[in-house]
Amino acid sequence: MLEVRLQGHRRFFAVQDLLQLFFGRAEILESENLVRVPQGPCLTLTSRVGEGEVSTLRPDGSGPRATQPEDSHFLGRLIRVQLYDVLARETGRHFPWGSLTGIRPTWLVTERRREGWSGLDIARELVHFYRVSPARARLALEVERTELSQLTALEPGDFILYIHIPFCPSRCGYCSFVTPAGVARPAAEHLAYVTALLEDMDHFFQSSLWRSFSAAGRRIRALYIGGGTPIALAPEALDLLVGWLQEHDLLLGGTLERTIEAGRPDFFSPTVLGRLRDAGFTRICINPQSFSDELLQAAGRPHGRRESEAAFAMARAAGFPEIHMDLIGGLPGSTGATVLADIRHALRLGPQSLTLHALAPKRGADWQDFVFQASGDLVQSFDAAYRLLRRSGYLPGPLYRQKRIMAGLENCTWALPGAGGLYNTAMLSDRVDVLGFGAGAMSKRVVAPGELRRLAAPREPGLYISRLAGHGQSRLALWETEL
Ligand code: SF4
């Protein structure tokens, strides 16, 4: 068993994150000032802060030592770096983002830019201090460039709008996105949910708060409907939602992009796609995840390559200006070769953008016994996929990571110039206010650069409906102090 004793600090989560990167699961025992990994190697380390020094030491007293920094954020980062160095030496394993365990490794780039650092200096710090691979340091800087160019379309005060549909006809093995109660629900439940959702939106957009925002010229610039599988809504519920959007065209008149995360290809139909296109949607996301029927079957997805190809043809025939695809690397049974085969297949179809995700089974997913491991093969296949995408004219854009992501990798969207998802970029940038409606949807107000206030709606659809009024008031209160 691996144990890390904390002395002179209580950065349990920093230590736990790092251990989870290497070993998958780590338990915090706060009363004993201990974080431990039952399946880890037989080793006890002491992470110590005090007397002007930060150290991570083995029982024989060896290990990295550094001067204690004054900056509290930096202290947490230093603790991680030291632990990373010791564990990398013990295990012989290295990760693409080194000691960075956060959801948005590119955030560091933004932070340093704000302080006036050059790209070269940022890359040096990423590689030499945080142990990020040179390939990922380059990627982080490229992503920042794309994000900045996309965000020039927005003005201060602009909003983006997110609408969540928490229903899926079945649940994939790695997903916890939809609670069991949300899977394959009867049409009446879909209708009740959408009715409540529209009530929630009416309440907000008819408020004096929104009238004052409109009068001040604040606009919604991107709309994203996500899920779940929004197009699997019962037809009457989908009609109700799309009808509301059409009736409120004035509200959405300033949008530069309207995305529907259509999701699972087996629910595409020319009628539904035509209806969405008529309602002004400009971007559709198709989620094949893989073009291998075997991998899809093992992942519990009841569709195959043919349905994905058909969905792509339907989206193209319906005239969507941007078709986006999601693929996942690291599905059980996959290899580096299957990841590359999927990318090549997607490129033959020619989406304007695609996101290559590294598998990250969620807590609460059916795959509870998933073995979290670093896979050099997977990292190499991502690197090869990125080379292929670059050669095909795609540029890297929005990038984020998830807890328990395989091989410490990332999810990165690649897009042809001019495409790529304004909503995603704006949402991940933390520089744009987000209006979130629906179960689990997050509303976010940027109070000042780097200072955010967030409000999450109840995740379970029934709770969302029963707490509609209270949540609506809280959402208004999130912005009311601005008036
Ligand atoms: S289709 Fe998407 S949201 Fe639905 S269960 Fe599968 S991964 Fe989760």
Side-chain angles (χ1 to χ4, degrees), residues 159 161 202 205-206 210-211 213-215 217-223 242-256 258 278-280 435:
F159 287 97
L161 171 60
D202 280 336
F205 290 114
Q206 289 168 10
W210 183 253
R211 280 200 295 278
F213 283 167
S214 299
R218 297 187 68 175
R219 298 165 298 176
I220 294 170
R221 302 297 269 162
L223 161 69
V242 173
W244 189 96
L245 296 171
Q246 284 175 309
E247 276 167 31
H248 292 75
D249 207 48
L250 203 59
L251 176 74
L252 301 171
T255 49
L256 301 166
R258 296 186 198 184
D278 288 346
L435 298 169

Side-chain angles (χ1 to χ4, degrees), residues 168 170-172 174-178 227-229 264 287 289 301:
C168 250
S170 62
R171 189 160 79 169
C172 308
Y174 50 85
C175 185
S176 68
F177 211 50
V178 185
T229 303
R264 261 183 34 192
N287 301 345
Q289 316 300 35
R301 289 181 69 91

Side-chain angles (χ1 to χ4, degrees), residues 283-472:
R283 185 168 182 265
I284 188 163
C285 301
I286 309 172
N287 301 345
Q289 316 300 35
S290 169
F291 291 101
S292 155
D293 290 352
E294 293 76 31
L295 294 184
L296 290 169
Q297 198 180 9
R301 289 181 69 91
H303 67 87
R305 177 178 56 81
R306 274 167 189 259
E307 284 83 0
S308 297
E309 289 171 350
F312 190 88
M314 274 185 243
R316 183 163 270 173
F320 283 91
E322 182 172 343
I323 304 177
H324 175 87
M325 277 194 174
D326 269 0
L327 296 172
I328 299 180
L331 288 168
S334 72
T335 62
T338 51
V339 173
L340 272 178
D342 281 341
I343 291 285
R344 287 201 183 96
H345 200 106
L347 288 176
R348 278 197 293 278
L349 293 173
Q352 279 71 32
S353 58
L354 69 83
T355 303
L356 179 57
H357 297 254
L359 182 68
K362 311 255 179 30
R363 265 182 220 295
D366 294 341
W367 291 353
Q368 277 308 302
D369 55 352
F370 172 79
V371 179
F372 186 94
Q373 53 192 316
S375 155
D377 189 32
L378 191 61
V379 176
Q380 279 174 19
S381 70
F382 269 55
D383 289 347
Y386 291 174
R387 284 195 293 276
L388 198 54
L389 286 160
R390 276 197 181 93
R391 281 205 302 274
S392 308
Y394 290 75
L395 300 170
L399 182 152
Y400 66 99
R401 302 164 80 206
Q402 287 160 290
K403 292 273 177 206
R404 306 173 77 211
I405 198 160
M406 246 184 133
L409 274 159
E410 66 279 324
N411 306 324
C412 184
T413 297
W414 292 75
L416 295 172
L422 176 63
Y423 173 86
N424 290 333
T425 299
M427 199 275 294
L428 286 172
S429 75
D430 280 346
R431 296 182 208 184
V432 182
D433 285 12
V434 183
L435 298 169
F437 293 89
M442 178 77 75
S443 293
K444 185 163 69 177
R445 177 183 158 201
V446 184
V447 180
E451 189 188 338
L452 306 172
R453 281 197 205 141
R454 293 186 171 90
L455 177 75
R459 190 166 180 263
E460 203 277 317
L463 262 190
Y464 168 70
I465 294 173
S466 66
R467 296 187 184 165
L468 206 61
H471 181 70

